[in-house]
Amino acid sequence: MAGIRTLEEILKRDPERYAITVFGEEPHPNYNRIMLSSVLQGDANVNDIVLNDYDWYESNGITLHTGDPVVKVDESKQLVISEQGRTCSYDKLIFATGSNPFMLPLPGADKEGVIAFRNIKDCETMIEASRHYKKAVVIGGGLLGLEAARGLLNLNMEVDVVHIADYLMERQLDEQAGSMLREELEKQGMNFLLNKQTEQITGDTRVKGLRFKDGTSTKADLVVMAVGIRPNVELAKESGLEINRAIIVDDYMQTSKKNIYAVGECAEHRGIAYGLVAPLYEQGKVLAEHICAEDKAAVSGYQGSIVYTQLKVSGVDVFSAGKFQDSKETKAIRVHDEFEGIYKKVVVQDNKVIGAVLFGDTGDSPRILDMMKKEQDISEMSKVAILPTEQSAGEKESPVLLMAEDETICGCNGVSKGEIVAAITNQGLTSVEEIKQCTNASRSCGGCKPLVADLLALTTGEQADTSKEPMCGCTDYTHEEVVANIRELGLSYPREVMNVLHWRTEEGCSKCRPAINYYLGMVDPLKNKDDHTSRFINERAHGNIQNDGTFSVVPRMYGGVTNPAQLRQIADVADKYNIPLLKVTGGQRIDMFGVEKEDLPKVWEELGMRSGSAYAKALRTVKTCVGEQFCRFGTQDSIGLGIELEKKFEYINTPHKVKMAVSACPRNCAESGIKDFGVVGVEGAWELYVGGNGGVDLRAGDLFCKVKTKEEIIEIISAFLQYYRENARYLERTSHFVERVGLDHMKKVVLDDSKRRKELVERLEVALSTGKDPWKEIIESEEKRKELFEKKQVESLV
Ligand SMILES: Cc1cc2nc3c(=O)[nH]c(=O)nc-3n(C[C@H](O)[C@H](O)[C@H](O)COP(=O)(O)OP(=O)(O)OC[C@H]3O[C@@H](n4cnc5c(N)ncnc54)[C@H](O)[C@@H]3O)c2cc1C
Ligand SMILES: NC(=O)c1ccc[n+]([C@@H]2O[C@H](COP(=O)([O-])OP(=O)(O)OC[C@H]3O[C@@H](n4cnc5c(N)ncnc54)[C@H](O)[C@@H]3O)[C@@H](O)[C@H]2O)c1
Ligand code: SF4
Ligand code: FES
């Protein structure tokens, strides 16, 4: 990150000055390492995080050798030699070799399944492990460990975090904030083993567990070490550079040898080796200025940085900067609101703010950081004004409003409010993405995005378009733009979309291909030919792949209702194919686990039942309560309506999975409140709840309407579903969609505008007319059976 940022700074100043060659050990062009946490947490993919792709190197005349580390520097001849035997002469040499993760030298640390979290490969190893194993242990409760743990939870693993200290992030937080953080993360599902020192990693070839010095132990299928980093200085040492903890540099990043420089985590300036990008980028800027300047004396050197950190775990706002621990020489201003879970502490010494910890509300962080950077004298200030309450600061006003022009908005990239405003005004920028391209603001951790968006809105007087995110790293087009192009240009095939819209990759990626395939089907359901190679493995095999490579089969049982004949059939098939586990699901279906892939078509055929779509981005289940048929409280026919809904909407493709439920009274036994569409019977009427979700992002559905008849309910769900199909981004659940577009907007579209409702229903009916039972199609087609279940498939989209 530091090395290539230095090159960007050089190119900005004097693009013709140097012929540049880059050697990189990893097999990728430079990428945003910070965003590995987002890749692991499922919010980005590897293509999204590339900072400068191969084209960038080519168009700037830079020779790039990836996957080829430098192994020797011959300082006397000014040559570097790479592992693959390349020899390259230099006038100036920059070391930007970063750090290595510190691996605790424990007995068993060399076992399979013990890894670090530093690069794309580690990220891929974790994602792959989560497909086969259940239990992960992260050693280290610092920034990296907690972000890794959150990612592993998102990958459905159980996670223990083993931490040596008695509270989390002790290098960044005081005890109060550390324990509040622990409480919050425990709510998210992390399990903490504090005050623990690992003694041994147990297992045969693969890790099975951890034993601690206090005699206790825990199970582990995967161990991620996140106990700090060590600057990568081996090559520099062998090359004769002066080393302490890292490569010693002066204020111009020059090492002990002439014409050899060091930037980034491998460099040590005034005794400090930094481990966050903001200081590294400042160093890169100084180095670029220095080696491009005609008058070197005019360049002011690097003076060191004030660092701050923010944890990138959603739902947790934590900020820490400078010296945050109390001491005899310091005094602190504290706010602790136990009702709202907010804690703020600002540490003052000699009338200057020297450190801060904020938990639960980090809105004050840019201002506090600014006071620290400017070493502002606060002797004349009322101390409580340093941490204003919401009322005194102005209710819910954006913090950017109060910021001075020279205050920093993007800490990672050192971009001030004034610079962003100038870019918006002078260059007519209209989106956060454009601001990022132009100023670098929000290009690293992304934490400043909301502030950048607010500033854009304030400057242009319009709501910022934060949604102008490209679909993936293969294109600059957003989801909405891709759909608009498909409609306007009448595009029909994924390849055609990629060609016409100048995709950067030939094949697309696992993010854009399924999305394009969905959009094509949604725009023209009658003509579209589904491209099954663009679907995820579960959708291609029409079953869910399990951790041992077998599949699960869930036959359709409308409304969760079955009968003795069906149950006998399921039992017979289970016996015949040695199906090891039958389980009733949360959606009231029977799930048959452990079916071999090649047996799938025979199992479906012999069951004689339709696919339950348990693997599809489609209607999964309609859960029902017993209702008026048997229940004393039932006021409506919940089973009847549930079955009708399921029969109507089965096999319609949707942006993400859709779940429904019907309960016949407000006791709500079918849990209608946490479904995408939840219906509740009340005396003489039905209530419809939308946007509920019972998964990771627990969300109660919003009451959308109350109507008298089931025909009205079906029509309203149809219109809503079609609007969601047409306007949601692929993989956006209704819960997020409702929040993005707003419930009032949905009411206007679906409830208030009867013409529009009718049109939506008509378009949905067309799409419904193309729905087919996929199991039946495969059973009846010898060709499909062979293609999908007999030939070995390349599982590129798993
Ligand atoms: C998961 C994760 C999340 C993070 N989150 C944040 C965050 O939110 N905020 C923040 O500020 N920082 C964060 N960081 C830290 C940040 O990523 C690093 O500080 C930054 O990447 C360091 O930049 P660098 O250029 O010094 O080193 P690197 O980015 O590590 O680059 C060094 C490169 O040099 C290569 N190399 C090493 N030796 C050789 C050789 N001999 N020849 C050729 N190539 C070689 C390495 O393979 C590597 O690709 C995070 C780090 C991780 C791992
Ligand atoms: N959001 C962010 O800014 C962010 C995110 C990830 C990584 N990073 C950076 O990446 C680097 C690596 O992060 P990190 O969290 O590994 O480093 P770190 O040094 O910040 O934290 C390591 C933690 O591991 C604990 N530890 C040490 N030995 C242990 C042991 N034997 N058992 C259990 N716990 C032990 C320490 O007490 C410490 O809290 C740092 O430079 C960090 O700043 C930053
Ligand atoms: S929701 Fe009401 S009607 Fe349905 S089973 Fe429960 S108590 Fe009975
Ligand atoms: S603060 Fe990290 S990208 Fe702006």
Side-chain angles (χ1 to χ4, degrees), residues 131 537-538 543-552 615 795 798:
R131 296 200 174 110
I537 174 70
N538 288 347
N544 283 316
I545 194 163
Q546 302 298 318
N547 56 15
D548 59 356
T550 62
F551 284 79
S552 74
Y615 46 81
E795 305 197 328
V798 173

Side-chain angles (χ1 to χ4, degrees), residues 308 409-413 441-448:
Y308 78 94
I409 290 222
C410 176
C412 289
N413 295 286
S442 82
R443 192 173 171 214
S444 305
C445 74
C448 58

